[in-house]
Amino acid sequence: MLRTALRNVLAHKARLAMTVLAVCLGVAFVSGTLVFADSSAAAYRAAATKNFADIAVTVHPKDPPPGAAAEQRTTVLDDALAKKLAEVPGVAAVRPSADGSATLNASDGTPLRAGKTWSNLAGAYVPGKDGQNDSRYPLTKGHAPRNSGELAVDSGTAAAGGFGIGDTVTLATDGPVMTKRLVGIVSTKDTRVTAGGTLALFDKATAQKLFATPGHYSSIDLSAKPGTDPVELAQRVTALLPADRAEAVSGTAQAGQQAIYVDTLTRGYEKLPMIFAGVSLFIGSFLVVNTFTMLVTRRTREIALLRAIGAARRQVVRSVLMEALLIGLAASAAGFLLGLGLASVLPGLLSASGDTLPDGPLVIGPRPVVAALGVGVGVTVPAAWLPSRRAAKVAPIEALRSAEQPPSATRSRVRAVVGLVLLVLGAGLLISLSGAKDASEKNLRDAMLGCAVLVVAMVLLAPLLAAPVIRLTGRLTGRFGITGHLARENALRDPRRTAATAATLMISTALVAGLAVIGNSTGQALDRQAAAGLDADYVISTRTTTSHIDPAAVQRVAGTSGVRTATAVTDSSLFAGGSVETISGVDPAAANAFMKLDFVSGSLKDLGPGRIAVSRTVAEKNGLSAGDQLNARIGRDQEFKKYRVVGVYKNNPTAQDAIGARSEVQQYSFKPGSVQRILVRTDDGAESRSTENRLRSAVGNSPLLKVQDRAELVHEAAGTMGNLLTLMYGLLAIGALISALGVVNTLAMSVAERTREIGVLRAIGMDRTGIRRMIRLESVTVAAFGTLLGLAGGLFGAWTVGALANGAMADYSLALPWGTLLLVCLVSLAIGTLAAAVPARRAAALSPLEAVAQS
């Protein structure tokens, strides 16, 4: 029987290749998404991780008490303290640091890694004991920065920015643009940089001025002598520090805190590929089951012959399982390699779409390997066991009479009942969630469960739905005459096989249609939110929450050619009612000219110091209306005090959660007196590239600032969803390819089963063109059946799941992307047409006499 299994594997090479390819794609879909998830998470983890391998203890300044001067944070860390720490027993070396963030413009003027908080590192070049080389950043070219006009960068930053020694580099930290001459290039092992970040190094005095205060540091790192316990060393260091102004933390404790932070940062990023892996596992597994079901069904007569010459049922089943095992192992290996290729391509595709990912090697953990074997072997073998066991139970003489056995009526009834029960459960769960309007993680998990149950129900009920749906669509194929009629009857001949063929296409169509509807609805909601409340033509804003716009730039912008007027907005935090909101500081006289505010009660007429307006959400949360008092504070340094609410407005993304007088908000912003946004109105009210360029020049071409018109604001708001959908469609395209392969498999087997029938048709006068047309129309009929079921399921799922998005987005409403849905239909029908090409040609090539002579 083992030799029989090996002969069956090698005897039907075309069938073997198709089966291996089907399983291979399923394996690649699963393992590729898992490798991509692990690699991306590892790259993000590296990009956010500071290396504490050589750091035993770090001394940090403590946060100053409310109301104290911000300079108190760093005035305790100076050279005198560093000298004292160097004398502590167990300390091997002391390295003071003045670290922060700096964003550089490349040589072509475009920002490098702008807005990525993990990637724009900056600090002081600290020479070692020799007074020359910094052990943390060894020089590879040039010399260390010696004054405020010089700069050093790492080799990766130099390559990405197109810099060479002697070039002028434009950069910004959190304020005005600076220009420095590049004098040195260094190497670094800091994973935050090697994962795709940038590094800028200044001389010590310049770094202290930028990131601490003159003569002081932001932190001091200590390395320990061999055998020194870091915790004990931290205790000795703590004894030398002023308790209210500085603290010592061991490198081990810092690494633990960082691990928690990085895990939180990357946890959400891992979920999306895991969802794809689950979907791909379902699609791939279902295709494998269908493929082997059809393969074993096709070999019913062969199995019966083995039984007739003495093979036991158990031997027959083992033979088929051995064949499945060999195919599964081969497909697992090939699919895993293909999955690695998929995982290596996806980061480039995402980076090309604007969502730049940190660099990093492919991470091949145990999950993708186990998943590859799980799909290739763990699914293939059970998929072959069920039909082979069923075929082995058929009496040999009965099986030899016909290759097709009618389905059991009992089994069909059980399938129908189970399908109806699951349909009610899945639809009921989704409908119940449609009234929740709460996009919590629990509700999203329940929605995914409901969609999965609904898909399984549709798969089980598909054979029952095949006859009425195909008869309906058969009216179109009937227009092609007798070939169309025969195509329809062939599709109706075995509803189970037709449903199994259409199932993978149905699942892919449902996923694409559902995602397209949700993505289009969410995108339009984001579009409305981005433009809502804005009556300006341009918005100049910061890329990061810690940066700000030079207040002097407001006057330069206002004086720019083509600008009618400009106003500044200062954003800060509003602490009220146990929550933190965002308050926009505006000029009361100019607010109405730049913001479209729809007041529920009150107005901005009385806005001023001690008086604020709040959004409806904040008002409902705190039970406020115009004229009420709110106990709150602005920023971290102000004490709580009573603010009078002068108005309540409908939620407005431009105004944010609350509006206050800019003169007051600026006092307590992150950087007192700073500006976070400039709203601009042009003379003709229109946007143009020349106006945008003049505005960029007015703010010094700072890499920390964005100059956006209304269209760019909308694009930015929808950008994340657009990139997400691009990834989804790309991965689901593989599902469509698997679906096409399933149709090819089924049609090829169907043609082989109907050899005599096709021979008779040729013998009575049907030409080869008619045969090809019949096979193609049959394929299109099956594809149309799967597409209609998929569209129905996808639209229903999008309607119910979309209600959860409505809870997170007030402007969300269901919006059907008719163009995309039409494209899905056309692509599905095209898949059916292309999948029939090879089987149709094979059928047309059959000789009538030889086909009729086959038994």
Side-chain angles (χ1 to χ4, degrees):
M1 296 305 295
L2 178 59
R3 287 197 298 271
T4 300
L6 293 174
R7 181 190 62 80
N8 281 328
V9 170
L10 299 175
H12 306 285
K13 295 181 176 60
R15 187 176 69 188
L16 172 65
M18 295 291 288
T19 306
V20 170
L21 184 57
V23 181
C24 174
L25 289 175
V27 171
F29 202 12
V30 176
S31 60
T33 51
L34 286 174
V35 171
F36 172 64
D38 292 342
S39 303
S40 300
Y44 268 110
R45 193 172 291 114
T49 301
K50 180 181 178 181
N51 187 5
F52 293 101
D54 298 326
I55 300 175
V57 177
T58 298
V59 178
H60 298 284
K62 286 186 175 181
D63 290 333
E71 287 77 6
Q72 288 188 14
R73 283 183 52 84
T74 56
T75 52
V76 67
L77 305 184
D78 53 16
D79 289 322
L81 178 62
K83 187 175 181 180
K84 288 183 181 179
L85 295 176
E87 298 172 353
V88 173
V91 173
V94 175
R95 188 186 188 282
S97 302
D99 297 329
S101 175
T103 305
L104 287 70
N105 274 339
S107 57
D108 61 359
T110 59
L112 287 176
R113 294 285 185 177
K116 303 294 185 181
T117 56
W118 49 263
S119 62
N120 309 124
L121 303 185
Y125 188 92
V126 181
K129 294 180 179 179
D130 60 358
Q132 298 294 325
N133 207 27
D134 187 336
S135 59
R136 183 174 294 182
Y137 304 118
L139 277 166
T140 60
K141 190 180 296 185
H143 61 82
R146 299 166 182 164
N147 55 59
S148 61
E150 296 181 343
L151 178 75
V153 299
D154 71 287
S155 55
T157 300
F163 303 138
I165 297 295
D167 288 351
T168 298
V169 180
T170 302
L171 71 154
T173 53
D174 63 350
V177 176
M178 300 177 289
T179 56
K180 308 285 184 183
R181 188 168 66 91
L182 184 64
V183 297
I185 296 177
V186 304
S187 62
T188 178
K189 296 180 180 179
D190 194 322
T191 54
R192 295 174 294 176
V193 180
T194 58
T198 63
L199 173 66
L201 297 174
F202 306 90
D203 66 288
K204 184 173 70 171
T206 301
Q208 288 176 330
K209 181 179 178 181
L210 290 173
F211 307 123
T213 55
H216 300 89
Y217 303 100
S218 58
S219 65
I220 300 177
D221 294 330
L222 309 178
S223 59
K225 294 179 180 179
T228 304
D229 181 70
V231 176
E232 292 182 2
L233 182 60
Q235 292 174 349
R236 295 179 202 147
V237 170
T238 300
L240 292 178
L241 302 176
D244 60 336
R245 298 178 61 190
E247 61 180 345
V249 183
S250 68
T252 304
Q254 292 182 85
Q257 294 171 0
Q258 180 176 261
I260 296 174
Y261 164 73
V262 172
D263 180 65
T264 303
L265 182 69
T266 59
R267 190 183 302 150
Y269 192 79
E270 291 179 313
K271 288 181 180 179
L272 180 62
M274 286 302 296
I275 293 172
F276 282 127
V279 172
S280 61
L281 177 62
F282 182 79
I283 295 178
S285 302
F286 198 84
L287 176 65
V288 173
V289 171
N290 285 343
T291 300
F292 267 91
T293 299
M294 291 182 288
L295 281 173
V296 176
T297 301
R298 175 75 182 87
R299 291 168 51 195
T300 301
R301 298 185 68 188
E302 177 186 326
I303 292 173
L305 181 61
L306 291 173
R307 291 287 316 285
I309 62 176
R313 291 180 180 177
R314 195 171 293 177
Q315 287 179 304
V316 170
V317 173
R318 288 175 180 171
S319 173
V320 177
L321 293 182
M322 181 60 66
E323 181 180 348
L325 177 62
L326 294 174
I327 292 175
L329 289 173
S332 295
F336 186 76
L337 294 177
L338 184 60
L340 294 181
L342 175 65
S344 63
V345 168
L346 282 175
L349 295 177
L350 283 180
S351 296
S353 67
D355 187 12
T356 305
L357 301 178
D359 300 327
L362 287 181
V363 176
I364 304 175
R367 288 193 309 175
V369 177
V370 172
L373 291 174
V375 175
V377 177
V379 175
T380 303
V381 173
W385 178 76
L386 290 173
S388 65
R389 187 170 178 270
R390 192 160 54 238
K393 286 183 178 181
V394 179
I397 300 301
E398 181 182 356
L400 285 171
R401 293 195 186 110
S402 174
E404 293 188 46
Q405 299 298 320
S408 167
T410 302
R411 191 161 56 245
S412 297
R413 284 194 294 268
V414 170
R415 180 187 184 118
V417 171
V418 173
L420 287 173
V421 171
L422 292 178
L423 180 66
V424 172
L425 289 176
L429 179 58
L430 290 175
I431 292 174
S432 67
L433 290 173
S434 65
K437 293 189 177 183
D438 177 15
S440 64
E441 187 171 350
K442 178 182 180 302
N443 283 342
L444 290 175
R445 284 199 305 266
D446 291 342
M448 292 175 59
L449 175 62
C451 289
V453 172
L454 187 64
V455 168
V456 174
M458 293 175 64
V459 169
L460 292 175
L461 293 174
L464 300 178
L465 299 173
V469 174
I470 290 176
R471 286 194 178 94
L472 178 63
T473 58
R475 295 180 180 180
L476 297 176
T477 58
R479 296 179 180 273
F480 291 89
I482 188 62
T483 55
H485 175 76
L486 289 173
R488 183 188 64 183
E489 294 305 314
N490 287 333
L492 290 171
R493 176 181 299 180
D494 188 346
R496 286 188 309 166
R497 185 171 61 190
T498 298
T501 305
T504 50
L505 188 59
M506 176 190 70
I507 296 170
S508 298
T509 302
L511 288 170
V512 173
L515 290 172
V517 172
I518 293 175
N520 185 64
S521 303
T522 304
Q524 291 193 14
L526 291 173
D527 290 354
R528 290 190 291 269
Q529 287 185 7
L534 180 64
D535 203 14
D537 300 311
Y538 285 93
V539 176
I540 303 174
S541 59
T542 59
R543 294 185 182 274
T544 64
T545 56
T546 57
S547 56
H548 67 279
I549 303 173
D550 181 7
V554 180
Q555 296 301 320
R556 295 198 300 270
V557 169
T560 300
S561 174
V563 173
R564 182 192 306 172
T565 182
T567 188
V569 179
T570 296
D571 297 322
S572 187
S573 300
L574 179 70
F575 297 83
S579 61
V580 182
E581 316 292 351
T582 302
I583 185 169
S584 300
V586 302
D587 292 327
N592 288 325
F594 291 89
M595 297 180 180
K596 297 177 182 177
L597 297 172
D598 187 1
F599 276 88
V600 177
S601 62
S603 67
L604 286 183
K605 183 177 62 174
D606 297 326
L607 187 69
R611 298 185 294 274
I612 62 174
V614 298
S615 67
R616 183 157 57 185
T617 298
V618 174
E620 291 174 352
K621 188 187 302 183
N622 295 278
L624 299 173
S625 60
D628 290 344
Q629 298 285 327
L630 175 64
N631 188 39
R633 67 181 171 92
I634 299 174
R636 302 186 60 179
D637 299 326
Q638 186 197 28
E639 299 291 341
F640 276 90
K641 73 175 190 176
K642 296 289 184 180
Y643 283 89
R644 185 164 71 88
V645 177
V646 299
V648 176
Y649 54 89
K650 292 182 180 179
N651 290 354
N652 186 308
T654 303
Q656 304 193 91
D657 301 317
I659 300 175
R662 182 160 61 92
S663 59
E664 181 176 25
V665 175
Q666 276 187 325
Q667 299 179 43
Y668 308 107
S669 62
F670 174 75
K671 193 174 185 68
S674 66
V675 170
Q676 277 68 48
R677 288 179 287 162
I678 303 177
L679 308 183
V680 182
R681 297 190 70 177
T682 57
D683 289 333
D684 53 5
E687 299 87 8
S688 67
R689 180 59 61 184
S690 59
T691 302
E692 181 177 335
N693 291 336
R694 289 195 296 270
L695 291 175
R696 291 186 185 279
S697 297
V699 293
N701 289 316
S702 173
L704 294 178
L705 303 183
K706 298 179 290 185
V707 179
Q708 298 170 295
D709 58 25
R710 295 170 65 87
E712 290 170 330
L713 286 171
V714 169
H715 178 73
E716 182 182 59
T720 302
M721 178 58 65
N723 292 338
L724 184 62
L725 288 176
T726 300
L727 174 61
M728 289 178 176
Y729 292 149
L731 293 176
L732 291 174
I734 302 176
L737 180 60
I738 295 176
S739 304
L741 192 59
V743 176
V744 173
N745 269 344
T746 303
L747 287 176
M749 294 177 189
S750 177
V751 168
E753 290 174 1
R754 304 202 314 259
T755 300
R756 295 185 65 190
E757 174 187 323
I758 293 172
V760 171
L761 290 174
R762 290 291 316 281
I764 63 176
M766 182 175 286
D767 58 11
R768 292 182 176 180
T769 302
I771 295 294
R772 285 195 294 267
R773 184 184 299 121
M774 180 184 70
I775 300 298
R776 290 194 188 102
L777 289 175
E778 180 183 349
S779 178
V780 171
T781 300
V782 174
F785 170 61
T787 301
L788 288 175
L789 286 188
L791 283 176
L795 293 178
F796 177 77
W799 170 68
T800 53
V801 175
L804 300 180
N806 195 17
M809 289 183 230
D811 292 334
Y812 183 92
S813 61
L814 194 68
L816 298 181
W818 295 107
T820 303
L821 296 178
L822 177 61
L823 180 62
V824 169
C825 294
L826 294 177
V827 169
S828 297
L829 295 178
I831 287 174
T833 303
L834 295 175
V838 174
R841 176 173 295 185
R842 178 182 176 186
L846 289 174
S847 170
L849 294 179
E850 292 179 359
V852 172
Q854 287 191 17
S855 58

